[in-house]
Amino acid sequence: MARPDAEEGATVAPGHPLAKGYLPVPRDAAAGKVSAEQQNGPRAGSLLLNGVPRDNAADLSGALGGPQILLAPEEETQARLLPTDAGEETPGAEGTPLPRTALSTRRFVVLLIFSLYSLVNAFQWIQYSIISNVFQGFYSVSLLHIDWLSMVYMLAYVPLIFPATWLLDTKGLRLTALLGSGLNCLGAWVKCGSVQQHLFWVTMLGQCLCSVAQVFILGLPSHIASVWFGPKEVSTACATAVLGNQLGTAVGFLLPPVLVPNTQNDTVLLAHNISIMFYGTSGVATLLFILTAIAFKEKPPYPPSQAQAAIQDSPPEEYSYKKSIRNLFKNIPFVLLLISYGIMTGAFYSVSTLLNQMILTHYEGEEVNAGRIGLTLVVAGMVGSILCGLWLDYTKTYKQTTLIVYILSFIGMVIFTFTLDLGYIIIVFVTGGILGFFMTGYLPLGFEFAVEITYPESEGTSSGLLNAAAQVFGILFTLAQGKLTTDHGPKAGNIFLCFWMFLGIILTALIKSDLRRHNINIGITNVEIKAVPVDSPVDQKPKTVILSNQPESSI
């Protein structure tokens, strides 16, 4: 009895890793000429082409109405069924087991733990800059010193991204997660020893440790989503993982102005308030490190999708990290996305770092409201991220969605720029929310689009390179916008960002959309192919599905 299509699976001999479950045939083959032998036929599970057993491939001369083709053994494919229940195995062509694709309930625990320690890391990134004037007075340093407490996150990422992604690809997800959570915890505890006015270097050391931890965090959302979640939820899972980092930024905008009010006339009270914030952060980071060590697993027992199964079935010796990097940089659509993603995310980093300075330039004494505006910006972005993730899972329109969100982010930045100095802080709340909804909502779009156009390359590597580009642009934009803001006012700095974001729109429009991972999951490959059900009786009309390349707009 034929099983539903959703429960069918296949294996492929070497030479056709991306054509799982399908038998390539010439384009002029007549429909209905490809079928599968009955179990009581000449050979169980063998394929028939025009009634000729597949084993006699040499006798197919002209059987398909095309030129004679002699298939080598390594070029042959054989369709197979997946077992009904998890844990069962189905022997393959050479007797090798084929695991059933299944979703593990542990995936939600892994996603939650990652999101929480990513939250704490993002909180530590922004906790200084949102009250930059307070820390400037406490440590008696310049504003540039305080800005570097945020920019060190960006600076550390660039040289460390390659060893970090190499570690993820060779040593696995669990070790990478433990390093990220552990270094985040260690950096938080180092900061607890810096609550004295002459110990700015200690707080910088702690922040440097947290910035190294970030290298093992930012590239994981798309990897966790792909390894643990199914095709219908992968984009939402990635958006949720990114959401944790965004929520940390939101908390970083909200809590520091409340926990550490501007009491520079009372240095003892100020030091006490700073220590409360530092020790509280350390306690939470320690708890999350323990939970990571207990509950975080490498991967589920069974792959969640056909695309992930294809990757896991590949022989390990075939993987080369250097070759993977070369492949990514030879991929023109990815290079265009790399630059456009770096521009957008770098602009967000710059706005977040300098938001306090921009607000206080036009609204003196509004440190608390500056934090609330930052909170509004990020919370709106969190909503945007989730909605974008859900939309991608539903439509799979990656390029269209990415381009539209990019354009709307640019419009939001223009509105924010020219309404900042109107004197009504409520307008800044509204425009900041609009800007955040699209600008922060773009982040998971870039991750997921990169995974689609670079499959089967490692998700961690592509995401890591995107983040590296974001850090480079973030440093350059923060320095340039900070200089323009100091010398010519916030409007000049924001116009600078608007120009670059317009360039990013052009680059995004030039990206060729090739949804490789999605095509594998739904059975579309680079050639016209026909699905061959194994258990279709010979005396019945075979259920043949003709699939061909489809542009993204038709999906």
Side-chain angles (χ1 to χ4, degrees):
M1 177 178 177
R3 295 179 55 194
D5 292 342
E7 296 180 7
E8 293 183 8
T11 188
V12 178
H16 288 289
L18 299 183
K20 291 199 167 189
Y22 300 97
L23 175 63
V25 298
R27 292 183 179 273
D28 54 352
K33 295 296 185 180
V34 184
S35 62
E37 185 80 45
Q38 286 182 329
Q39 293 298 321
N40 58 359
R43 182 174 179 180
S46 65
L47 300 179
L48 288 185
L49 300 180
N50 280 1
V52 182
R54 184 167 174 76
D55 297 334
N56 301 326
D59 299 331
L60 287 177
S61 115
L64 295 177
Q68 298 182 10
I69 300 176
L70 180 62
L71 298 179
E74 66 269 17
E75 292 178 329
E76 297 187 359
T77 62
Q78 181 174 353
R80 295 190 303 178
L81 292 177
L82 290 175
T84 303
D85 300 317
E88 293 184 11
E89 295 177 348
T90 302
E94 293 81 21
T96 56
L98 178 69
R100 176 177 184 259
T101 57
L103 297 178
S104 169
T105 54
R106 182 182 286 270
R107 69 190 189 280
F108 298 112
V109 177
V110 171
L111 184 62
L112 177 63
I113 293 174
F114 170 79
S115 297
L116 288 176
Y117 76 72
S118 178
L119 180 155
V120 175
N121 184 259
F123 170 81
Q124 296 193 81
W125 164 58
I126 207 68
Q127 67 181 160
Y128 293 100
S129 61
I130 197 58
I131 48 173
S132 54
N133 57 321
V134 175
F135 278 105
Q136 178 192 17
F138 180 76
Y139 287 116
S140 299
V141 294
S142 68
L143 272 178
L144 183 61
H145 284 80
I146 303 301
D147 288 344
W148 270 109
L149 287 170
S150 293
M151 289 191 293
V152 70
Y153 264 59
M154 311 173 202
L155 183 66
Y157 199 93
V158 178
L160 295 178
I161 181 55
F162 292 106
T165 53
W166 174 85
L167 190 72
L168 175 62
D169 289 348
T170 57
K171 302 302 180 181
L173 180 61
R174 175 174 166 81
L175 178 61
T176 305
L178 286 172
L179 279 173
S181 184
L183 288 171
N184 192 52
C185 174
L186 179 61
W189 281 109
V190 169
K191 292 181 188 179
C192 293
S194 69
V195 192
Q196 295 186 41
Q197 291 182 281
H198 66 286
L199 294 180
F200 175 80
W201 69 272
V202 177
T203 207
M204 176 60 82
L205 175 62
Q207 192 74 338
C208 287
L209 289 172
C210 293
S211 68
V212 175
Q214 178 212 213
V215 182
F216 300 100
I217 295 174
L218 284 188
L220 290 189
S222 59
H223 186 83
I224 291 175
S226 295
V227 171
W228 283 90
F229 289 82
K232 295 182 179 180
E233 57 187 13
V234 63
S235 296
T236 304
C238 180
T240 304
V242 173
L243 181 106
N245 198 268
Q246 296 171 352
L247 183 59
T249 306
V251 175
F253 279 126
L254 178 65
L255 283 186
V258 176
L259 296 175
V260 188
N262 191 357
T263 58
Q264 296 189 30
N265 55 336
D266 189 342
T267 309
V268 176
L269 177 60
L270 184 58
H272 175 71
N273 292 334
I274 293 174
S275 67
I276 289 176
M277 181 172 68
F278 284 168
Y279 276 103
T281 305
S282 302
V284 175
T286 302
L287 174 62
L288 290 172
F289 175 65
I290 295 172
L291 290 176
T292 303
I294 294 174
F296 218 95
K297 301 298 181 183
E298 182 67 33
K299 61 182 179 180
Y302 302 97
S305 66
Q306 289 297 327
Q308 195 60 218
I311 293 176
Q312 294 183 11
D313 288 345
S314 301
E317 60 271 14
E318 291 184 1
Y319 176 76
S320 168
Y321 179 72
K322 291 182 180 179
K323 184 178 179 181
S324 178
I325 294 293
R326 287 198 300 269
N327 289 341
L328 289 174
F329 280 106
K330 290 178 181 178
N331 188 327
I332 301 302
F334 175 73
V335 173
L336 292 174
L337 180 62
L338 186 71
I339 299 173
S340 61
Y341 182 91
I343 292 172
M344 172 70 81
T345 312
F348 169 71
Y349 290 162
S350 182
V351 170
S352 300
T353 301
L354 302 173
L355 184 63
N356 176 268
Q357 298 176 35
M358 288 190 285
I359 299 300
L360 295 185
T361 299
H362 298 294
Y363 305 92
E364 188 175 351
E366 295 284 0
E367 291 91 353
V368 174
N369 272 330
R372 290 171 178 168
I373 291 170
L375 175 66
T376 302
L377 186 147
V378 178
V379 169
M382 291 162 53
V383 176
S385 293
I386 293 298
L387 291 178
C388 288
L390 292 170
W391 177 255
L392 286 186
D393 280 331
Y394 179 71
T395 66
K396 302 300 180 183
T397 53
Y398 289 85
K399 178 178 177 178
Q400 293 94 323
T401 305
T402 302
L403 182 58
I404 290 172
V405 171
Y406 214 122
I407 293 172
L408 293 175
S409 298
F410 169 74
I411 294 173
M413 189 67 201
V414 171
I415 295 173
F416 178 80
T417 298
F418 290 97
T419 58
L420 183 62
D421 59 352
L422 293 181
Y424 300 98
I425 198 165
I426 187 62
I427 295 179
V428 184
F429 273 94
V430 174
T431 56
I434 295 172
L435 178 64
F437 181 86
F438 296 111
M439 205 173 195
T440 317
Y442 170 84
L443 303 183
L445 294 178
F447 282 159
E448 284 296 283
F449 196 16
V451 172
E452 289 291 339
I453 63 179
T454 61
Y455 178 88
E457 305 299 338
S458 168
E459 303 91 353
T461 305
S462 61
S463 298
L465 290 175
L466 289 181
N467 281 317
Q471 312 307 321
V472 171
F473 279 102
I475 293 173
L476 296 177
F477 286 171
T478 302
L479 291 173
Q481 188 184 12
K483 179 66 173 175
L484 289 170
T485 299
T486 302
D487 294 346
H488 305 287
K491 182 177 290 186
N494 287 331
I495 291 175
F496 168 79
L497 293 184
C498 289
F499 169 80
W500 280 98
M501 290 175 68
F502 182 77
L503 176 61
I505 292 174
I506 298 174
L507 295 177
T508 303
L510 295 175
I511 297 174
K512 179 183 177 181
S513 181
D514 181 13
L515 307 185
R516 301 178 181 182
R517 181 183 64 177
H518 174 63
N519 290 345
I520 292 300
N521 282 327
I522 66 174
I524 300 177
T525 59
N526 291 329
V527 294
E528 185 172 322
I529 54 181
K530 295 185 178 182
V532 185
V534 170
D535 53 357
S536 299
V538 174
D539 57 348
Q540 297 181 12
K541 185 177 180 180
K543 182 177 67 174
T544 303
V545 181
I546 300 178
L547 300 173
S548 60
N549 287 332
Q550 298 181 21
E552 180 184 331
S553 58
S554 66
I555 298 175

